[in-house]
Amino acid sequence: EDQVTQSPEALRLQEGESSSLNCSYTVSGLRGLFWYRQDPGKGPEFLFTLYSAGEEKEKERLKATLTKKESFLHITAPKPEDSATYLCAVQGGSEKLVFGKGTKLTVNP
Amino acid sequence: GAGVSQSPRYKVAKRGQDVALRCDPISGHVSLFWYQQALGQGPEFLTYFQNEAQLDKSGLPSDRFFAERPEGSVSTLKIQRTQQEDSAVYLCASSFRGQNTGELFFGEGSRLTVL
């Protein structure tokens, strides 16, 4: 059974304080690992897809990396508007995504 | 519309009532998914359509849950004889791809509360 575990559950940062979120996964035949951002009362918003170990993707202050067992979402010099829940998901042998519980990030000004 | 539209946004039902939740995907999107998100949890897969064909319904929790997409566009998720454990946000997502559909566009969800 495909599984995703995200840590920490919650993270508080000061504006400008860089950090990383972790996503550990087990999946039969990884077809893709996905990062989404979810704001309160909204649906998840797609950020990145990673397909193979060693791959990296960047967007503004965010960088996602992938190994054979985990993915990291690095946040550099975060701003208050980066506050959200970040969800990690994997796609294995079917079209469905298996999500983790998410990391709730709060960036204080 | 520009995005995935879901209605109603909020629904309160008495235990035992039937409910229907509607999803209008982005025009031309082939794939449509339903996910269930409980408070503080990540979304959990319910079912998947490619055009009008329901290709995977393995996530539907019981036979009280039924989904359809008769013309390959709008989809409806129906829950019969609602129970308190059905309280959750129901998210609809679509993708223009027929396969490798991990890059999804989500609606804002329908929040169901069963009293």
Side-chain angles (χ1 to χ4, degrees):
Chain A
E1 183 181 341
D2 301 343
Q3 283 192 322
V4 174
T5 303
Q6 293 188 244
S7 62
E9 290 186 7
L11 181 63
R12 284 187 174 272
L13 299 174
Q14 288 298 122
E15 186 171 1
E17 180 187 2
S18 301
S19 189
S20 296
L21 312 182
N22 178 264
C23 169
S24 298
Y25 65 91
T26 55
V27 63
S28 298
L30 180 70
R31 292 168 62 193
L33 183 140
F34 305 87
W35 283 96
Y36 282 82
R37 168 189 171 131
Q38 187 171 28
D39 292 301
K42 305 289 186 182
E45 176 187 354
F46 170 76
L47 292 173
F48 302 110
T49 307
L50 300 166
Y51 293 106
S52 57
E55 190 175 0
E56 298 183 352
K57 293 273 180 75
E58 281 190 70
K59 180 180 179 179
E60 296 181 356
R61 294 176 293 282
L62 301 177
K63 183 169 81 171
T65 61
L66 181 65
T67 72
K68 288 187 177 180
K69 294 184 178 181
E70 56 192 350
S71 176
F72 292 93
L73 184 65
H74 306 278
I75 304 176
T76 302
K79 297 182 177 182
E81 53 261 42
D82 294 323
S83 298
T85 295
Y86 291 86
L87 296 165
C88 173
V90 295
Q91 186 179 44
S94 68
E95 297 303 315
K96 73 178 184 182
L97 297 186
V98 175
F99 284 87
K101 293 183 179 181
T103 293
K104 182 177 181 180
L105 174 66
T106 304
V107 182
N108 296 313
Chain B
V4 176
S5 178
Q6 293 189 244
S7 61
R9 288 293 318 280
Y10 303 93
K11 175 70 178 178
V12 178
K14 292 183 180 178
R15 189 162 54 94
Q17 281 186 332
D18 297 349
V19 299
L21 308 176
R22 176 188 168 105
C23 173
D24 251 297
I26 295 171
S27 178
H29 276 199
V30 170
S31 296
L32 186 145
F33 295 79
W34 285 97
Y35 284 83
Q36 180 190 59
Q37 187 172 26
L39 191 64
Q41 304 294 311
E44 289 197 8
F45 170 80
L46 294 176
T47 187
Y48 159 58
F49 291 85
Q50 190 175 118
N51 295 308
E52 69 279 3
Q54 189 174 21
L55 299 185
D56 188 348
K57 54 181 182 180
S58 62
L60 296 176
S62 77
D63 58 8
R64 297 186 295 103
F65 286 71
F66 172 77
E68 61 182 4
R69 193 186 185 197
E71 297 178 358
S73 179
V74 171
S75 177
T76 304
L77 177 67
K78 298 179 179 178
I79 309 173
Q80 297 178 324
R81 303 181 303 281
T82 52
Q83 304 294 315
Q84 284 190 323
E85 61 263 27
D86 300 335
S87 295
V89 175
Y90 290 85
L91 294 165
C92 177
S94 70
S95 170
F96 71 91
R97 294 181 177 177
Q99 289 184 328
N100 296 326
T101 50
E103 298 177 18
L104 301 177
F105 294 83
F106 280 86
E108 294 195 326
S110 292
R111 180 179 295 277
L112 173 65
T113 302
V114 181
L115 303 176

